[in-house]
Amino acid sequence: MFEVENSQAAQAPAWIVCDRCVALIYGKRFTRALQVCPDCGFHARLTAQQRLEHLLDPGSMVPLAHVECVSDPLGFVDTRPYTDRLLDARAATGLREAVLCARGTIEDQPVVIAAMDFRFLGGSLGCGVGALITEAARTSLRLRIPLLLVTASGGARMQEGVLSLMQMAKTTHALVELDEAGILVLSLITDPTYGGVAASFATLADVIIAEPGARLGFAGPRVIEHTTGEKLPEGFQTAEFLLAHGLVDDVVSRAALRTTLGQLLSLQPSPERVQVTPAAAATGTGPILCRPEELPETDAWTAVGLARHPDRPTTLDYAAHLLDGFHELRGDRIAQDCPAVVGGPGRLNGRPVMLIGHQKGGNELAERQRRKFGMPSPGGYRKAARLMRLAAKLGLPVVTLIDTPGANPGPDAERTGQAVAIAENLRLMARLPVPIVAVVTGEGGSGGALALAVADRVFISANGVYSVISPEGCAAILWKDSEAAPTAATALRVGAGELLRLGIVDGVVPEPPGGAHADHPQAAALLGEAVAAALDELDPWEPERLLRERSSRFHRFGLEHDPSAGRGVL
């Protein structure tokens, strides 16, 4: 953006020309829009001070003390002495370094915030920036409140040589301490964020949010094209490109940032802020069916049809009905955002939880195709694993909703490690030190389902099915006749009642008359009561007990004793 002089009155607001669409914007309107073009949505750069004023609640900002560092460790001179460049940057910005740190609140949630300013030597990472980011992290650790990093940088500061490089390791160590202490770290990527900042603290956060159009990468596009000779694709390294490739959790407009960040900051454990409504008190009756005789007799093949009904509620449907403040987080942070798995934090009856589940896509064919019919790629399982690790760090219970024909069987999934991704999830869930409640809400297909079902309590919806293979697949292999699928379904004992008798599930979640597809709100209410009741039981358990009893639960399968022995009864 650049200003156009107002010839009528020198003191009147300037007119602004948008860098992207070249629209002429009245200055006051531009300010009201938080320096976002109202015509094309282009997000202009903000100063560090503007960032703090925009994000923090009015009157809550308390600046952190400045940390003094060596100012010119190399005595560096290019066309000008480095000391002169520092003096000019300080005079032009009013800042002592390229980052401004403070503590305060966002939507009444406490936070320590470090906001970078691109005007100061391109927001470059030098000793001063490294020291201030580290001090912000240590303040966050000392106060046990989340850290928010607002990044804007061209990379490491060349004039400080290898000492600048060392700031990547220094800031990383500071964030590792927050990981070990269970302190939430958020990153807000603004344009641009490159080099040493991108390859250290900017991308080590638990949740990475980006402004629309913000660019993030290790090397800039010109460097890449010059080095490789390749023409880069349209939108390469932009926030939207990164979201599609699983590298950021969300792209959020500037106007929505405070609300989004406030919801995420509320995940930091703080017992005095959590008001949990016990499930049993809400209904007066037990929400789980634990005896097979309580269930109506249902033909196995009929159950398969009901489990596959295209109108059954999806994970996102359940999230919308059950969770307050649910925010979907995306990407495996490697290369993919698999649409067949969705997840994110929210509050169930006031209790923060991490919800993760398969997403078939509802009853529209195009959406079901986009979601791969709920058949995850390795990136989907790696996304789930990332969210489970975040839940473990913050002490959040994990709730998984399972509805998949199975893992994606395509060649791309095999090339990117499908078997390994599933195995890693099994190992992770076996030792996750927080309560895990899994519900098979529709189809539970093979290892693709089990990868989200190694839990302390495993339930199934009344019309759900769970099997080692689809009835059609079993019929084709063993009967040599796909028409024998109904016979195979019966032999496999895929229905809820049979699974309860075998001890595979701990209970059955009732469904509304006609099935979950007939009444989404009621289906969600019944499922929510069941999950909440399980969490009421599991929450008081210490991690050692959780891990011991989870191991015992799965260890007994296949041994010759009462399959229901040791099953939790709610």
Side-chain angles (χ1 to χ4, degrees), residues 507-570:
V508 177
V509 180
E511 294 190 24
H517 58 279
D519 190 339
H520 285 200
Q522 180 63 12
L526 290 166
L527 184 140
E529 289 176 17
V531 171
L535 292 178
D536 287 343
E537 178 201 11
L538 296 169
D539 265 350
W541 292 11
E542 293 296 323
E544 293 78 9
R545 182 181 178 187
L546 283 170
L547 300 182
R548 183 176 64 252
E549 300 215 13
R550 191 181 306 156
S551 175
S552 176
R553 183 188 190 282
F554 287 90
H555 178 73
R556 71 172 183 264
F557 291 133
L559 300 180
E560 292 190 13
H561 62 77
D562 179 4
S564 66
R567 180 191 300 145
V569 178
L570 301 175

Side-chain angles (χ1 to χ4, degrees), residues 208-493:
I208 302 177
I209 302 295
E211 284 193 331
R215 294 166 293 169
L216 169 72
F218 184 57
R222 284 182 295 180
V223 172
I224 296 171
E225 290 186 337
H226 176 76
T227 303
T228 67
E230 295 181 28
K231 177 69 175 175
L232 298 177
E234 186 71 24
F236 183 73
Q237 293 184 327
T238 62
E240 295 74 16
F241 180 93
L242 298 167
L243 182 65
H245 289 80
L247 297 173
V248 300
D249 286 288
D250 204 357
V251 177
V252 180
S253 67
R254 195 168 288 165
L257 279 175
R258 278 177 43 79
T259 299
T260 298
L261 293 172
Q263 289 177 345
L264 292 170
L265 290 170
S266 71
L267 297 175
Q268 185 68 54
S270 181
E272 65 273 14
R273 292 207 302 263
V274 178
Q275 298 291 327
V276 176
T277 302
T283 63
T285 61
I288 293 289
L289 304 177
C290 294
R291 294 188 298 274
E293 57 271 21
E294 295 178 303
L295 300 172
E297 289 294 330
T298 303
D299 173 73
W301 188 241
T302 300
V304 171
L306 289 170
R308 293 174 176 173
H309 197 291
D311 288 331
R312 285 185 76 82
T314 66
T315 295
L316 291 179
D317 291 330
Y318 283 118
H321 286 293
L322 290 177
L323 300 187
D324 293 325
F326 173 74
H327 192 97
E328 185 179 351
L329 303 180
R330 299 175 175 88
D332 64 355
R333 298 274 178 92
I334 298 174
Q336 293 181 308
D337 179 38
C338 173
V341 172
V342 297
R347 289 178 177 268
L348 176 64
N349 297 341
R351 174 193 282 116
V353 300
M354 183 67 74
L355 177 69
I356 303 167
H358 298 100
Q359 182 72 11
K360 278 187 173 177
N363 59 9
E364 294 184 7
L365 179 59
E367 179 64 5
R368 290 169 77 85
Q369 290 173 330
R370 187 180 78 82
R371 297 284 185 177
K372 309 300 182 185
F373 297 93
M375 295 187 291
S377 66
Y381 294 116
R382 290 174 183 134
K383 172 166 61 174
R386 183 172 75 81
L387 298 185
M388 285 188 271
R389 291 189 185 99
L390 174 56
K393 172 179 174 177
L394 298 177
L396 306 183
V398 172
V399 177
T400 64
L401 303 183
I402 294 147
D403 187 11
T404 180
N408 194 306
D412 286 343
E414 291 299 318
R415 276 192 289 267
T416 52
Q418 186 69 287
V420 174
I422 291 172
E424 289 290 349
N425 270 29
L426 302 183
R427 176 163 63 180
L428 173 64
M429 297 184 79
R431 306 306 294 170
L432 205 70
V434 293
I436 309 173
V437 176
V439 185
V440 181
T441 60
E443 280 188 280
S446 192
L450 183 62
L452 295 185
V454 180
D456 302 295
R457 293 290 177 264
V458 179
F459 302 134
I460 189 168
S461 294
N463 292 317
V465 295
Y466 196 3
S467 179
V468 67
I469 190 172
S470 71
E472 295 90 339
C474 179
I477 293 170
L478 297 183
W479 276 263
K480 313 298 183 186
D481 180 7
S482 59
E483 296 298 318
T487 302
T490 300
L492 288 167
R493 301 192 183 188

Side-chain angles (χ1 to χ4, degrees), residues 35 44-53 93 95 100 115-119:
Q35 300 195 30
R45 291 174 186 163
L46 296 181
T47 68
Q49 185 66 35
Q50 288 169 330
R51 287 284 177 194
L52 296 179
E53 291 173 356
T93 64
L95 302 175
L100 200 56
M116 301 189 72
D117 198 314
F118 193 78
R119 299 174 305 155

